[in-house]
Every structure is written in structure tokens, then in C-alpha cells.
Amino acid sequence: MNSVWEKAIKAEKVNTPKKFLDEIGEELFSKSSYVVRGNAIRLDEGDQHSFTYRFIIVSDRLQYSYNLFNIVHGIELYPVCIKTEEMIITQADIKGKIDTIDVNGFNVRGIICNDETDFKNTIIKIIQTDRVVKIIQSIISQSE
């Protein structure tokens, strides 16, 4: 007899937004000769209705961190809402993606990514902006 859970357990696995953030955080660490890293930290603000992560750029040598963006998603992972600085939104040319989504009954406004590919492409646009490049270069320079 098949398990009543078989359909759910054998469903295609989707990579989580946090997993992608962890991967790019580790890549930054290795590419910067272990000077700067990116950390995705879950924020627990008593909200059991969503998953909120802060992605920070960290230099242990400087004892400094910079909040680059936050993401919010429900239990179903996508859509994801990204919140970041207005300058970064403008430089990444993603202003047209600003909208409001329902995350488990709560309205969240920000940059909306409807699937994994959209999320990854949007994060790449964000981290390749002049603003983010300057932030990382500045932290690396001050850490040496």
C-alpha cells in the first residue's frame, strides 16, 4: 500500500530563497579572499506567518555589517518580496517590479519575484549595481 504522504514527499523539490542567498554569500567570501561574506539571517519577530531574512555583508576584521536587503516569503517559498534601498532599486532598474503580495494573509510591499529564476535574476541585478559594488569595495579596502 502506498503512503498517504507519497505525493507530497515525492514532489519536485524547489530550492529555497535562503539556500540561494547562502550560496552567493559563500561565493563572496571565497572571491574576496575570505575578507567579506554575505549572511542570510532569519528574523524572528514573533511572526509565524512568514519567513523573513536579512542579507548582510559582513567583515569580521572590521567588526562591521551592512544590511543589503531583506526578503519575505510564505510557506510556499514563491512569490518572494525583496526590500532594499531606493538607490539600489533604481540602479538595478527593477522599479517596475514593485508591488504588494499576500503572504499568508498579510500584505507585503516590495520587489516581487514570482519564481526561483526571477528571484535569482533580481538578486544578481541588485548585487551588480554600482552601489553594492562600492559598498563591498569599501569594506574590503578598510579590512586590509
Side-chain angles (χ1 to χ4, degrees):
M1 181 170 140
N2 289 337
S3 168
V4 295
W5 297 107
E6 187 171 346
K7 183 177 178 181
I9 292 170
K10 289 190 175 190
E12 181 180 334
K13 302 261 188 293
V14 177
N15 288 325
T16 67
K18 182 181 185 307
K19 182 177 180 184
F20 179 67
L21 297 180
D22 289 341
E23 289 170 358
I24 64 170
E26 284 300 314
E27 181 182 0
L28 174 61
F29 195 48
S30 65
K31 296 285 185 188
S32 69
S33 300
Y34 308 101
V35 174
V36 179
R37 60 188 154 81
N39 283 351
I41 301 168
R42 177 140 188 228
L43 302 179
D44 182 13
E45 299 171 350
D47 181 4
Q48 299 301 314
H49 302 287
S50 66
F51 295 84
T52 303
Y53 296 93
R54 173 175 290 148
F55 188 78
I56 58 174
I57 303 299
V58 178
S59 168
D60 291 332
R61 292 180 191 174
L62 286 180
Q63 295 182 336
Y64 177 81
S65 65
Y66 188 89
N67 183 30
L68 199 53
F69 55 81
N70 291 359
I71 67 165
V72 181
H73 65 80
I75 191 67
E76 294 182 2
L77 303 178
Y78 297 98
V80 175
C81 179
I82 304 169
K83 298 180 177 198
T84 190
E85 298 174 20
E86 188 67 32
M87 182 184 295
I88 292 172
I89 292 170
T90 301
Q91 289 180 359
D93 195 25
I94 52 177
K95 222 173 211 172
K97 295 173 64 68
I98 295 175
D99 203 350
T100 302
I101 59 169
D102 179 287
V103 178
N104 299 332
F106 295 90
N107 288 330
V108 181
R109 185 161 180 80
I111 305 302
I112 307 303
C113 302
N114 290 307
D115 57 39
E116 182 180 354
T117 301
D118 188 18
F119 176 69
K120 288 180 176 182
N121 290 338
T122 302
I123 293 297
I124 290 167
K125 284 182 178 181
I126 288 171
I127 63 177
Q128 291 179 342
T129 61
D130 289 343
R131 172 79 174 142
V132 174
V133 168
K134 287 178 183 174
I135 290 167
I136 292 170
Q137 289 174 339
S138 178
I139 293 171
I140 290 171
S141 294
Q142 295 179 69
S143 297
E144 294 177 338

